[in-house]
Amino acid sequence: MSDSRSEEEMVALYRARADAGDAGAMFSLGVMYAKGHGVEQSNIEAFRWYRAAAESANTDAMFNIGLMYVEGRGVEQSDVEALRCFRACADVGDGIAMCNVGMMYASGRGVERSAVEAVRWYRSGAETGDTASMSNLSLMYKNGDGVEQSDLESVRWCQAGAEAGNADAMFNLGVI
């Protein structure tokens, strides 16, 4: 696709492809509606297009639906539904979704709070290379929350996140 196309032309192109069953185009329409690019901004339309893409196994759309449930954008806020969406993405190896599942366990949103489960999900996300998971896992080790306290493990995970460019991990490394 050419960058010289207007946003309205892109919407028309995505709509034609979405009508033909293209899940990627459905996802792109969701993004266009969510951001108001080439169309009037509408969280309801964004959710509708994301849901159509997710039904065609588009995990990026499922992840965005999870975010919409967390924030209550275009749908009624529901941590339970957000967790379901994030778990579906985590089940196919999405490290960022694993981190989000960990955060939900850490805070008890949509699920009973469990630091042990949060650590498990953060570790899974960190092992995929997700830097936010590394940073969060580092803090769990630092505080001994859900895992035996270990400054060594805290620094190890924090350093891995910092080396990968995570700003929170860089900050935490300075504090640790």
Side-chain angles (χ1 to χ4, degrees):
M1 286 179 254
S2 171
D3 290 343
S4 65
R5 292 185 181 161
S6 72
E7 289 179 340
E8 291 80 10
E9 290 173 318
M10 294 304 295
V11 169
L13 179 64
Y14 290 143
R15 191 175 309 278
R17 290 182 178 173
D19 289 344
D22 182 329
M26 293 172 197
F27 172 76
S28 294
L29 279 171
V31 171
M32 299 297 271
Y33 275 102
K35 295 183 178 200
H37 290 236
V39 293
E40 184 175 332
Q41 194 281 334
S42 171
N43 289 324
I44 292 169
E45 281 298 303
F47 183 84
R48 183 174 79 81
W49 285 108
Y50 287 148
R51 187 178 60 222
E55 288 170 358
S56 295
N58 184 299
T59 56
D60 291 332
M62 181 64 78
F63 184 87
N64 284 5
I65 289 171
L67 292 176
M68 293 182 86
Y69 274 119
V70 165
E71 299 165 0
R73 284 186 300 118
V75 294
E76 186 175 330
Q77 194 282 334
S78 172
D79 291 333
V80 171
E81 284 299 311
L83 182 62
R84 182 187 64 76
C85 293
F86 294 144
R87 276 191 174 157
C89 296
D91 287 345
V92 295
D94 185 320
I96 297 169
M98 291 173 190
C99 184
N100 284 10
V101 173
M103 288 189 293
M104 296 191 82
Y105 272 104
S107 63
R109 292 186 66 176
V111 67
E112 186 175 330
R113 185 189 181 288
S114 171
V116 171
E117 280 298 302
V119 166
R120 184 174 77 79
W121 285 101
Y122 290 150
R123 184 180 321 295
S124 294
E127 289 171 354
T128 71
D130 178 60
T131 61
S133 294
M134 293 174 194
S135 180
N136 290 344
L137 184 57
S138 170
L139 293 176
M140 300 298 275
Y141 273 109
K142 178 68 179 160
N143 298 324
D145 197 11
V147 67
E148 186 175 332
Q149 195 282 332
S150 170
D151 288 338
L152 182 63
E153 283 297 304
S154 177
V155 169
R156 181 173 83 86
W157 284 109
C158 196
Q159 191 166 19
E163 288 173 0
N166 182 280
D168 290 334
M170 288 179 202
F171 175 80
N172 292 341
L173 190 57
V175 172
I176 294 172

